[in-house]
Amino acid sequence: LKFELTVLGTSSALPTSKRNPTAHLLNVNERFFLIDCGEGTQLQLRKLKKPFNKISHIFLSHLHGDHIFGIFGLLSTYALLGRRNYLNIYAPKDFSTILDFFYKNFGAGVNFKIQHIPLNESSENKIFENKSMEVFSFPVRHRTPTWGFLFKEKDRELNMKKNLVKEYNIPVSQIHRIKKGADYFTENGDVIPNEQLTLPPYQSRSYAYITDTIWMESLTEMIKGVDLLYHEATFLEEDKKRARETCHSTARQAAIIAKKAQAGKLILGHFSARYKKIKAFEEEAKKEFYKTYIAEDGDIYEVPLVRAERK
Amino acid sequence: LKFELTVLGTSSALPTSKRNPTAHLLNVNERFFLIDCGEGTQLQLRKLKKPFNKISHIFLSHLHGDHIFGIFGLLSTYALLGRRNYLNIYAPKDFSTILDFFYKNFGAGVNFKIQHIPLNESSENKIFENKSMEVFSFPVRHRTPTWGFLFKEKDRELNMKKNLVKEYNIPVSQIHRIKKGADYFTENGDVIPNEQLTLPPYQSRSYAYITDTIWMESLTEMIKGVDLLYHEATFLEEDKKRARETCHSTARQAAIIAKKAQAGKLILGHFSARYKKIKAFEEEAKKEFYKTYIAEDGDIYEVPLVRAERK
């Protein structure tokens, strides 16, 4: 049961020889979620041997070119590969213009349904849900309407100890109740306490993606306790003024968000091409939040499956 | 005085883990010409350390996505870098729709002039000329209007032997005539024959780019004697029927063009992703034309400067 993030691109608006424009791929138990789609995303997916035909949900934070110019090539490739599966694209409402342009000029051969789900302004909006997880969008503040995303596994039930099911001959009808915390009453009236029958559940895991925003302390509430936080750090604190002017964040600001949100790990990316030594971002952020990592193209971050403590 | 081609991308419509979509960069004496601009072109230019700010002329063969999806990112990057120089884009007339879309949605910050020069149907159309070279376009046959391009240095004058200019004290006014082939008449009436005073000129060099076309034998006239010929080879001869149906060429067909045109070298590219062993393209083509090369992303082909034979 994987929960694994692959960072496909880590540059800001200007790519460099080592950093492609922004895109992330989240693998939750072999369901793949693409987040942003800068130029070259399909090429990165190929190079990193990702099963990109398994992507059915794409999340676009905003409509600046460095976050979306890869969408045309990806859609064209899906068409050429004969894709039939639907594709949901969660994106700002004006993405419809971009999609129209694509259909009109390059849409021949698209035999799959592309559904554009416009993001909305509510501060905690559930945009996707399946049996085991949920995705939320929340607005951030940039020069154009922009959103962050939170990917979160649902709480799991207690795990039955399988050998005891057999030993006590527990009927299937009871197992559902026990998994929710009930004790087991045997036919002759004995009570087997729940904690003897079950193991605590695996903790639900989560990933938050926050890019292209001015520093917003209020975001910490939304992402409280997140395991993996990606936060843009376009600038260093010495260029804090420039960060504010261009609606971006500094490494220190990102780290303060991580600290206040009690995140597990902080991943920094979207570095301005003006900085030659990216190490400085790590040093600056670590002063506020030690578990800070500098994202490089191709990096993989896995959140392991860990049992909760017995309450 | 360089004449150097760098192949940036060699895939056909479906990129692979090793082949980016099509783009070529021609360096003629430090003037840079970009030919086609598939997704990831600006990233390839960065990785290969090319001075892409020196590109002022872009040639787009046709408007299929795998040949143009990199244009948005490249133009955006030019804008971010504060480009002021004009940029000429030689492209089919419908490129205006694509450029309009770009301006409308991503054009903020574009402070340089982009001039779109529509390609036309005439069979040998000079679309660019400067002191030392010319570029011609010529229509080929694909599923959408498509053009090939010929880049050609102008004929050079004879080279004066500098030591003799001094020895005979030849006035500047005469040098121009001598470089064109005249003999030198000294003040006391002696005739110094031209071939004693000059070296034969360097040969003019040329490069032809032919992609996304059905086999057109008639093209050989246009590109007669070309030094470097890039010709698409999407298919092998065993899939000749498929090549014809999709308006593409086979390796053998490309080689026949090279042979008939008496090209110096043939470079093959645009291989369909269906073939695992690209070596087969080389083997097939070499039977017709020995100096055939398989293009890989990042390959460099230089045409050396060679003196002509004395006529």
Side-chain angles (χ1 to χ4, degrees), chain A residues 277-310:
Chain A
K277 290 190 184 159
I278 301 301
K279 190 80 186 159
F281 284 81
E282 190 179 347
E283 286 163 5
E284 179 173 300
K286 278 196 164 173
K287 285 180 197 156
E288 297 292 341
F289 186 78
Y290 190 75
K291 279 177 288 177
T292 297
Y293 300 82
I294 295 294
E296 308 288 346
D297 291 21
D299 274 357
I300 292 174
Y301 294 88
E302 192 166 357
V303 184
L305 205 52
V306 175
R307 284 202 191 279
E309 299 290 313
R310 180 74 73 179

Side-chain angles (χ1 to χ4, degrees), chain A residues 46-90:
Chain A
R46 283 278 193 208
K47 279 173 196 157
L48 299 166
K49 314 268 182 227
K50 299 296 176 184
F52 66 82
N53 243 323
K54 285 193 182 171
I55 297 168
S56 295
H57 302 275
I58 299 178
F59 302 83
L60 301 179
S61 63
H62 64 300
L63 302 182
H64 280 168
D66 56 322
H67 292 255
I68 61 163
F69 280 158
I71 199 75
F72 302 121
L74 185 62
L75 296 178
S76 297
T77 288
Y78 282 144
L80 280 164
L81 291 173
R83 183 183 179 118
R84 292 284 174 174
N85 280 345
Y86 74 94
L87 183 67
N88 281 356
I89 304 181
Y90 307 82

Side-chain angles (χ1 to χ4, degrees), chain B residues 214-231:
Chain B
I214 210 163
W215 187 48
M216 283 175 73
E217 222 180 321
S218 59
L219 294 179
T220 54
E221 280 314 306
M222 179 67 201
I223 60 167
K224 204 84 186 178
V226 71
D227 292 299
L228 214 51
L229 167 61
Y230 172 83
H231 196 294

Side-chain angles (χ1 to χ4, degrees), chain A residues 15 20 39-40 42-43 46 76, chain B residues 15 20 39-40 42-43 46 69:
Chain A
N20 284 277
E39 180 178 1
Q42 66 159 329
L43 308 168
R46 283 278 193 208
S76 297
Chain B
N20 285 276
E39 180 177 1
Q42 65 158 331
L43 306 168
R46 284 278 193 206
F69 280 159

Side-chain angles (χ1 to χ4, degrees), chain A residues 233-259:
Chain A
T234 310
F235 294 98
L236 291 173
E237 194 69 7
E238 67 193 38
D239 295 313
K240 190 176 168 179
K241 198 164 154 267
R242 179 95 184 114
R244 174 162 287 275
E245 283 162 8
T246 58
C247 289
H248 281 297
S249 304
T250 69
R252 181 170 177 267
Q253 290 171 339
I256 292 174
I257 300 271
K259 185 169 70 178

Side-chain angles (χ1 to χ4, degrees), chain B residues 256-304:
Chain B
I256 292 173
I257 299 271
K259 184 169 69 177
K260 296 206 172 183
Q262 299 172 11
K265 283 184 183 176
L266 169 64
I267 306 166
L268 298 181
H270 206 267
F271 314 111
S272 165
R274 70 172 60 193
Y275 302 105
K276 296 302 160 227
K277 291 188 184 159
I278 300 300
K279 189 80 186 158
F281 285 80
E282 189 179 348
E283 285 163 6
E284 179 173 300
K286 279 195 165 175
K287 285 179 197 156
E288 297 292 341
F289 186 79
Y290 190 75
K291 280 176 287 178
T292 296
Y293 300 81
I294 295 295
E296 308 288 345
D297 291 19
D299 273 356
I300 291 174
Y301 296 87
E302 191 166 358
V303 184

Side-chain angles (χ1 to χ4, degrees), chain B residues 53-226:
Chain B
N53 243 323
K54 284 193 183 171
I55 298 167
S56 296
H57 302 276
I58 299 178
F59 303 83
L60 301 179
S61 64
H62 65 300
L63 302 182
H64 281 169
D66 56 322
H67 291 255
I68 62 163
F69 280 159
I71 200 74
F72 302 121
L74 185 61
L75 296 179
S76 297
T77 288
Y78 282 145
L80 279 165
L81 292 173
R83 183 184 179 117
R84 292 284 173 172
N85 280 346
Y86 74 93
L87 183 67
N88 281 357
I89 304 181
Y90 308 81
K93 72 170 172 12
D94 290 347
F95 182 68
S96 60
T97 312
I98 291 164
L99 201 52
D100 286 349
F101 166 78
F102 174 77
Y103 271 123
K104 208 170 158 188
N105 294 280
F106 306 100
V110 174
N111 292 316
F112 59 101
K113 193 178 171 192
I114 304 172
Q115 192 174 314
H116 167 214
I117 298 101
L119 298 171
N120 76 37
E121 287 297 330
S122 72
S123 63
E124 184 177 344
N125 187 31
K126 193 194 288 180
I127 53 178
F128 172 80
E129 179 170 13
N130 67 15
K131 225 178 73 181
S132 61
M133 65 172 290
E134 293 166 323
V135 185
F136 300 87
S137 68
F138 47 92
V140 297
R141 267 176 56 206
H142 194 45
R143 306 189 306 271
T144 183
T146 304
W147 280 264
F149 301 106
L150 175 64
F151 299 79
K152 207 174 172 179
E153 286 183 317
K154 291 182 181 173
D155 287 341
R156 290 187 170 83
E157 296 182 322
L158 295 157
N159 288 113
M160 289 294 296
K161 293 181 183 167
K162 293 216 172 82
N163 56 326
L164 296 186
V165 173
K166 218 168 177 181
E167 197 175 318
Y168 292 110
N169 202 14
I170 305 173
V172 177
S173 60
Q174 293 294 310
I175 289 176
H176 192 61
R177 287 180 55 247
I178 297 168
K179 278 186 167 177
K180 294 211 179 300
D183 297 333
Y184 175 50
F185 296 82
T186 63
E187 284 187 3
N188 45 17
D190 294 340
V191 179
I192 318 288
N194 184 281
E195 67 177 65
Q196 197 178 318
L197 294 167
T198 63
L199 288 171
Y202 290 113
Q203 286 180 331
S204 68
R205 297 166 292 184
S206 56
Y207 167 59
Y209 177 87
I210 298 176
T211 195
D212 288 41
T213 184
I214 210 163
W215 187 48
M216 283 175 73
E217 222 180 321
S218 59
L219 294 179
T220 54
E221 280 314 306
M222 179 67 201
I223 60 167
K224 204 84 186 178
V226 71

